[in-house]
Amino acid sequence: MAVARAPGREWLGADRANLVAAFEWAAAQHDWECAALLLLRTFTVFYDHPTEGIALTDRCLAEQIGSEDIAMKLRCNQWYLYLRVADHVSARSVVDRLRASSDPVHQVFGICHDANAVATFDTARAASLLQRANQIQATLPPGADATQAKG
């Protein structure tokens, strides 16, 4: 399937090759958290290359990333990339996994993804939701002390 090219993204081609090389380096070091964070921070580079982004994301998710929060954010990116290639079945499975999470934030994003994007196939709204998902910072549970969380 041909993917519409976003205006102004032509300059990302060379950066994409460098990012893939950095991803491959992190993977060779078995530093999957680094590889995952690289994908999260550079997600828009793969906007015009969704199948490549899906493949890299799948590789990360198949490994032990070390953080369920990072894994869930990767799944949000994966969901959007699935929509870009019109793989609605796979996008739906990501939504189901988000909704089944024990983390209420991930549950809410699963519900939002489901209600506002997957059902309507509105990729612009999906992109907006994805940006919000990636901006969420982990919060401490009620009564937790920040110094305990660092230790």
Side-chain angles (χ1 to χ4, degrees):
M1 164 177 198
V3 176
R5 188 142 183 90
R9 293 186 186 268
E10 297 80 17
W11 58 273
L12 292 174
D15 287 340
R16 193 178 104 259
N18 290 334
L19 292 169
V20 171
F23 175 91
E24 293 299 342
W25 177 86
Q29 307 304 312
H30 302 285
D31 190 346
W32 293 103
E33 185 170 348
C34 176
L37 289 171
L38 181 67
L39 289 178
L40 286 174
R41 301 294 192 283
T42 61
F43 171 73
T44 57
V45 171
F46 296 100
Y47 185 84
D48 294 322
H49 304 276
T51 54
E52 184 177 25
I54 290 167
L56 295 175
T57 301
D58 286 347
R59 285 178 59 196
C60 271
L61 290 171
E63 300 295 332
Q64 294 297 322
I65 296 172
S67 166
E68 186 58 23
D69 187 56
I70 292 172
M72 285 296 178
K73 288 178 181 179
L74 268 181
R75 286 186 187 98
C76 288
N77 287 2
Q78 184 184 44
W79 163 82
Y80 182 73
L81 292 170
Y82 282 138
L83 287 182
R84 294 279 299 149
V85 297
D87 183 349
H88 302 294
V89 172
S90 295
R92 180 67 206 198
S93 77
V94 171
V95 166
D96 291 343
R97 185 149 189 182
L98 286 169
R99 291 180 78 172
S101 170
S102 61
D103 185 324
V105 172
H106 298 144
Q107 291 171 7
V108 167
F109 276 102
I111 291 166
C112 289
H113 287 356
D114 189 22
N116 295 318
V118 176
T120 64
F121 307 116
D122 181 348
T123 56
R125 188 171 187 85
S128 172
L129 288 168
L130 177 63
Q131 286 177 334
R132 285 190 222 154
N134 282 330
Q135 291 172 356
I136 289 182
Q137 299 296 316
T139 56
L140 296 173
D145 182 4
T147 56
Q148 292 172 337
K150 291 180 182 178

